[in-house]
mmCIF file of all heavy atoms in Angstrom:
data_model
loop_
_atom_site.group_PDB
_atom_site.id
_atom_site.type_symbol
_atom_site.label_atom_id
_atom_site.label_comp_id
_atom_site.label_asym_id
_atom_site.label_seq_id
_atom_site.Cartn_x
_atom_site.Cartn_y
_atom_site.Cartn_z
ATOM 1 N N PHE M 122 27.417 13.297 -9.222
ATOM 2 C CA PHE M 122 26.519 14.444 -9.253
ATOM 3 C C PHE M 122 25.096 14.014 -9.589
ATOM 4 O O PHE M 122 24.136 14.562 -9.071
ATOM 5 C CB PHE M 122 27.038 15.459 -10.274
ATOM 6 C CG PHE M 122 26.357 16.787 -10.206
ATOM 7 C CD1 PHE M 122 26.377 17.540 -9.046
ATOM 8 C CD2 PHE M 122 25.708 17.305 -11.315
ATOM 9 C CE1 PHE M 122 25.759 18.776 -8.984
ATOM 10 C CE2 PHE M 122 25.096 18.544 -11.264
ATOM 11 C CZ PHE M 122 25.119 19.278 -10.104
ATOM 12 N N GLU M 123 24.969 13.020 -10.456
ATOM 13 C CA GLU M 123 23.647 12.532 -10.824
ATOM 14 C C GLU M 123 23.074 11.586 -9.774
ATOM 15 O O GLU M 123 21.869 11.548 -9.552
ATOM 16 C CB GLU M 123 23.700 11.839 -12.180
ATOM 17 C CG GLU M 123 23.971 12.803 -13.314
ATOM 18 C CD GLU M 123 24.121 12.109 -14.650
ATOM 19 O OE1 GLU M 123 23.741 10.926 -14.751
ATOM 20 O OE2 GLU M 123 24.606 12.748 -15.594
ATOM 21 N N ALA M 124 23.923 10.800 -9.124
ATOM 22 C CA ALA M 124 23.445 9.757 -8.206
ATOM 23 C C ALA M 124 23.178 10.259 -6.794
ATOM 24 O O ALA M 124 22.234 9.795 -6.148
ATOM 25 C CB ALA M 124 24.449 8.612 -8.156
ATOM 26 N N ILE M 125 23.973 11.171 -6.306
ATOM 27 C CA ILE M 125 23.871 11.571 -4.897
ATOM 28 C C ILE M 125 22.477 12.066 -4.516
ATOM 29 O O ILE M 125 21.936 11.635 -3.500
ATOM 30 C CB ILE M 125 24.985 12.576 -4.522
ATOM 31 C CG1 ILE M 125 26.313 11.831 -4.440
ATOM 32 C CG2 ILE M 125 24.681 13.284 -3.207
ATOM 33 C CD1 ILE M 125 27.517 12.694 -4.197
ATOM 34 N N PRO M 126 21.827 12.936 -5.301
ATOM 35 C CA PRO M 126 20.473 13.358 -4.889
ATOM 36 C C PRO M 126 19.482 12.200 -4.821
ATOM 37 O O PRO M 126 18.622 12.165 -3.946
ATOM 38 C CB PRO M 126 20.066 14.364 -5.973
ATOM 39 C CG PRO M 126 21.343 14.860 -6.535
ATOM 40 C CD PRO M 126 22.292 13.707 -6.458
ATOM 41 N N TRP M 127 19.610 11.246 -5.730
ATOM 42 C CA TRP M 127 18.662 10.131 -5.766
ATOM 43 C C TRP M 127 18.954 9.114 -4.679
ATOM 44 O O TRP M 127 18.077 8.363 -4.277
ATOM 45 C CB TRP M 127 18.657 9.481 -7.142
ATOM 46 C CG TRP M 127 18.241 10.468 -8.182
ATOM 47 C CD1 TRP M 127 19.032 11.019 -9.144
ATOM 48 C CD2 TRP M 127 16.959 11.081 -8.330
ATOM 49 N NE1 TRP M 127 18.304 11.925 -9.879
ATOM 50 C CE2 TRP M 127 17.032 11.977 -9.404
ATOM 51 C CE3 TRP M 127 15.743 10.948 -7.654
ATOM 52 C CZ2 TRP M 127 15.946 12.740 -9.820
ATOM 53 C CZ3 TRP M 127 14.666 11.714 -8.079
ATOM 54 C CH2 TRP M 127 14.778 12.593 -9.147
ATOM 55 N N VAL M 128 20.176 9.086 -4.193
ATOM 56 C CA VAL M 128 20.525 8.193 -3.082
ATOM 57 C C VAL M 128 20.234 8.881 -1.748
ATOM 58 O O VAL M 128 19.701 8.262 -0.825
ATOM 59 C CB VAL M 128 22.014 7.773 -3.174
ATOM 60 C CG1 VAL M 128 22.447 7.018 -1.947
ATOM 61 C CG2 VAL M 128 22.249 6.946 -4.439
ATOM 62 N N SER M 129 20.543 10.164 -1.653
ATOM 63 C CA SER M 129 20.367 10.873 -0.385
ATOM 64 C C SER M 129 18.892 11.016 -0.007
ATOM 65 O O SER M 129 18.557 11.028 1.178
ATOM 66 C CB SER M 129 21.027 12.246 -0.433
ATOM 67 O OG SER M 129 20.437 13.054 -1.431
ATOM 68 N N THR M 130 18.021 11.106 -0.994
ATOM 69 C CA THR M 130 16.592 11.279 -0.707
ATOM 70 C C THR M 130 16.023 10.097 0.071
ATOM 71 O O THR M 130 15.475 10.280 1.160
ATOM 72 C CB THR M 130 15.816 11.544 -2.014
ATOM 73 O OG1 THR M 130 16.334 12.742 -2.597
ATOM 74 C CG2 THR M 130 14.337 11.688 -1.759
ATOM 75 N N PRO M 131 16.137 8.855 -0.433
ATOM 76 C CA PRO M 131 15.610 7.740 0.366
ATOM 77 C C PRO M 131 16.394 7.509 1.657
ATOM 78 O O PRO M 131 15.817 7.095 2.667
ATOM 79 C CB PRO M 131 15.693 6.531 -0.569
ATOM 80 C CG PRO M 131 16.586 6.922 -1.667
ATOM 81 C CD PRO M 131 16.586 8.412 -1.749
ATOM 82 N N LEU M 132 17.700 7.794 1.639
ATOM 83 C CA LEU M 132 18.471 7.618 2.876
ATOM 84 C C LEU M 132 18.003 8.580 3.966
ATOM 85 O O LEU M 132 17.897 8.196 5.134
ATOM 86 C CB LEU M 132 19.969 7.799 2.617
ATOM 87 C CG LEU M 132 20.654 6.671 1.868
ATOM 88 C CD1 LEU M 132 22.125 7.002 1.634
ATOM 89 C CD2 LEU M 132 20.514 5.347 2.603
#
Side-chain angles (χ1 to χ4, degrees):
F122 191 59
E123 292 176 15
I125 287 175
W127 299 110
V128 172
S129 62
T130 299
L132 287 178

